[in-house]
Amino acid sequence: MSPTPEVPANSPFTLHNIPFGVISTSSNTTPRCASAIGDHAIDLGILFQKAEPDIMLGKPAPYQDFEQVFRKQTLNAFAGLPSDLRSNVRRFILDSLLNNTVPFEAFLPLDTVRMHMPMQIGGYSDFFCSLEHCQNCSPMTGGNIPKNFYYSPSVYNGRASSVVVSPDPIRRPKGVMYDTGGKEGNPIYGASLKMDFELEMGFFVSKPVPWGQSLDIEKARDHIFGFVVLNDWSSRDLQAYEMTPLGPFHSKGFATSISPWIVTLEALEPFACEPKHNHDSTTFEHLRWHDRAKGTFDIRLTAKLIRNGITYDLVESNLRYMYWTPYQQIVHHAAGGCGLKTGDLLGTGTISGEKQGELGCLYEATRDGNSKLQFDDGSELGYLEDGDEIILEAWCGDGEGGRATIGFGHSRGKLLPSI
């Protein structure tokens, strides 16, 4: 056994967090499940090899061999377990840390591990659920806010094959666009010239929803494993060509980056809060969340740009700004009977606020590149250039009122030239 490592003051991975991810090391290249504390990963296969989970976890039925669950190369087997059983596992990990009973060999410095995709993703869907984002984008696309935005969450199916884990680099895509870069002109094929990021959260499905069935919103919590930071990279010139008649395709389907550590719903419960928007008058009953005080989460998100070794602050927003919340999103997704499987990923959509510094993408913040962001060193930003790196972060709590800070780590990606 080994004393639990001290947690640095600025660490996102505190004792209040206990996130889950998948790691490998140079000495053991096989991916396996882990948690994180401070600057260390915890190899959960080793922890549960030394434990007696049938005693520690109250002999769950059916019995689970947690050593084998956590030696798998994704978290799907764990995420698919009942929520109360996952809660017991999380409590056991926390108690082991508090009681200094984690084996020494289970602690691995984070700077020595490689992070992998935490879940096997069968399906990926991305929402369009920020009223402020919609208000800012509509004038540039030549229309008003669609009436249906106010009645149900808007969503499209993305490409699960293009989801990558931070810090994998991103390749500038090629596709068809108009030679004007906007909605009119002559179609041409080539590398996108209007590369953008989108500041989002993503959340993974835990308990499946069988095909042909819907989901009661009061049970939505049982179907969400946890959250990651998500960057839905976007090509705005390809998107302008594709939006009519069927919407985004290559402009969104080439890459989506997520942070590698999943923060559980249980860790986020102390940060439950009331959503910014109240739209009960237009909300269908199956989408009505009756406990508004706990309808979403107070999660602060930031976006930074690294260009030529210099870091620039771009955005600070909050998940509670969303018009439609994650609970409403997952219920609406299931409402058509498509079914949801363990490991499916849902993106919240761009998270924007009212102010200039709260706009969750460059398309909004620069008015489609026509009003470039100006920085103190005299540089400016319209759209992303090759070599630019985007870093997204998310945090809960400020250390006040007994709500200890937890974080999600980074979703970062560097833009590479097209090939």
Side-chain angles (χ1 to χ4, degrees):
M1 303 303 170
S2 176
T4 297
E6 292 188 8
V7 179
N10 61 346
S11 173
F13 308 128
T14 65
L15 288 168
H16 301 274
N17 196 341
I18 315 298
F20 291 90
V22 173
I23 64 167
S24 66
T25 57
S26 58
S27 59
N28 181 357
T29 58
T30 301
R32 66 268 193 196
C33 302
S35 187
I37 183 71
D39 293 335
H40 288 77
I42 306 168
D43 188 320
L44 295 179
I46 294 177
L47 173 61
F48 281 89
Q49 180 183 30
K50 305 292 184 179
E52 297 181 12
D54 57 329
I55 297 175
M56 295 293 187
L57 302 178
K59 294 185 178 180
Y63 172 77
Q64 297 292 329
D65 185 341
F66 287 103
E67 179 188 352
Q68 294 306 311
V69 167
F70 288 127
R71 290 198 185 280
K72 295 182 181 297
Q73 297 189 22
T74 70
L75 286 160
N76 290 55
F78 175 62
L81 296 174
S83 57
D84 57 346
L85 185 52
R86 298 198 312 271
S87 178
N88 286 342
V89 169
R90 183 173 175 272
R91 168 53 59 180
F92 176 77
I93 297 170
L94 177 59
D95 288 345
S96 299
L97 290 167
L98 292 173
N99 296 325
N100 295 321
T101 56
V102 177
F104 172 79
E105 60 269 28
F107 288 119
L108 301 168
L110 283 177
D111 59 7
T112 67
V113 305
R114 178 187 175 190
M115 302 303 303
H116 296 266
M117 184 64 65
M119 304 283 283
Q120 181 179 348
I121 303 172
Y124 164 55
S125 300
D126 192 48
F127 284 83
F128 179 68
C129 288
S130 164
L131 176 60
E132 289 80 6
H133 178 59
C134 192
Q135 289 171 331
N136 292 327
C137 292
S138 292
M140 293 185 288
T141 57
N144 298 318
I145 298 176
K147 184 178 181 179
N148 61 6
F149 179 90
Y150 296 101
Y151 286 84
S152 64
S154 301
V155 60
Y156 70 93
N157 288 312
R159 290 286 304 170
S161 63
S162 66
V163 180
V164 300
V165 68
S166 171
D168 286 354
I170 305 302
R171 182 73 63 178
R172 182 181 294 270
K174 289 181 178 179
V176 180
M177 70 202 88
Y178 292 117
D179 56 8
T180 60
K183 294 183 63 177
E184 299 179 355
N186 296 314
I188 59 174
Y189 177 83
S192 169
L193 300 177
K194 292 186 174 182
M195 282 296 298
D196 202 354
F197 70 91
E198 288 190 340
L199 179 65
E200 304 189 24
M201 301 292 294
F203 55 102
F204 284 100
V205 174
S206 53
K207 182 179 179 180
V209 179
W211 177 79
Q213 297 186 19
S214 58
L215 174 59
D216 184 340
I217 196 167
E218 298 301 325
K219 298 179 180 179
R221 285 191 180 99
D222 295 336
H223 296 266
I224 297 177
F225 176 40
F227 284 73
V228 292
V229 189
L230 185 148
N231 182 353
D232 191 36
W233 299 86
S234 300
S235 165
R236 299 306 183 186
D237 40 9
L238 303 189
Q239 186 176 6
Y241 175 84
E242 294 174 342
M243 285 304 290
T244 304
L246 291 180
F249 185 55
H250 291 308
S251 58
K252 295 280 192 173
F254 63 94
T256 298
S257 298
I258 64 170
S259 54
W261 293 102
I262 300 174
V263 177
T264 65
L265 206 61
E266 186 175 7
L268 294 174
E269 285 178 351
F271 309 98
C273 67
E274 185 173 347
K276 174 182 177 181
H277 296 282
N278 186 347
H279 45 85
D280 287 348
S281 62
T282 59
T283 302
F284 292 114
E285 185 59 32
H286 75 285
L287 293 172
R288 196 182 307 280
W289 185 262
H290 295 283
D291 187 1
R292 271 190 55 80
K294 297 182 178 180
T296 188
F297 299 99
D298 181 9
I299 302 177
R300 305 187 315 276
L301 299 107
T302 62
K304 299 178 185 293
L305 165 73
I306 298 180
R307 174 178 286 178
N308 299 323
I310 303 174
T311 301
Y312 302 94
D313 294 327
L314 299 179
V315 186
E316 181 172 342
S317 192
N318 197 297
L319 181 65
R320 66 181 179 85
Y321 295 165
M322 297 295 290
Y323 192 84
W324 296 101
T325 72
Y327 294 132
Q328 293 169 319
Q329 291 175 348
I330 192 173
V331 168
H332 181 65
H333 198 301
C338 64
L340 291 170
K341 295 183 178 180
T342 301
D344 282 355
L345 175 64
L346 306 185
T348 61
T350 305
I351 303 172
S352 292
E354 299 176 352
K355 303 174 183 177
Q356 173 65 23
E358 298 175 337
L359 308 183
C361 65
L362 295 175
Y363 183 71
E364 289 178 82
T366 69
R367 308 289 296 174
D368 192 19
N370 293 313
S371 181
K372 295 183 178 181
L373 298 180
Q374 305 294 323
F375 299 111
D376 291 341
D377 63 358
S379 59
E380 57 184 18
L381 172 65
Y383 281 112
L384 299 177
E385 300 176 359
D386 293 344
D388 286 349
E389 186 172 12
I390 293 293
I391 301 178
L392 308 185
E393 294 185 40
W395 295 84
C396 296
D398 51 15
E400 299 179 0
R403 302 199 311 168
T405 301
I406 67 172
F408 291 74
H410 301 101
S411 173
R412 62 191 304 161
K414 188 174 185 178
L415 182 61
L416 303 181
S418 65
I419 54 175

